[in-house]
Amino acid sequence: AMKITGLKAKLSTQSEDATLQAYADASDVSGWARSSVADSVQAGLVSGRSATALASKAFITRAEVATIIQRLLQKSDLI
């Protein structure tokens, strides 16, 4: 979705490790999802369950999904 809205093109070329280093549980993010999670954090779509935890293995709520979609649309200047 970030690619379609053009938001991905606006991101810096910061490494995945540098983007995720603030999160103590960054190593829990699956390898196949690591770049997408880093892009989402860098774009400001997600900020983790706390300042130091992503909780990538936890279930996501409807409210969290709605917030992510709203942020995607806002940061892409679509709303």
Side-chain angles (χ1 to χ4, degrees), residues 1-2 4-7 10 69-79:
M2 288 174 56
I4 291 169
T5 64
L7 185 57
K10 296 177 186 178
I69 292 170
Q70 181 182 21
R71 288 178 184 166
L72 171 69
L73 295 173
Q74 287 173 334
K75 293 184 182 287
S76 300
D77 296 323
L78 296 174
I79 59 170

Side-chain angles (χ1 to χ4, degrees), residues 13-47:
T13 56
Q14 185 176 12
S15 74
E16 294 170 10
D17 292 332
T19 302
L20 299 177
Q21 73 182 2
Y23 300 99
D25 63 347
S27 62
D28 293 341
V29 176
S30 298
W32 61 267
R34 195 163 180 81
S35 66
S36 296
V37 170
D39 287 347
S40 296
V41 168
Q42 187 178 6
L45 302 181
V46 296
S47 56

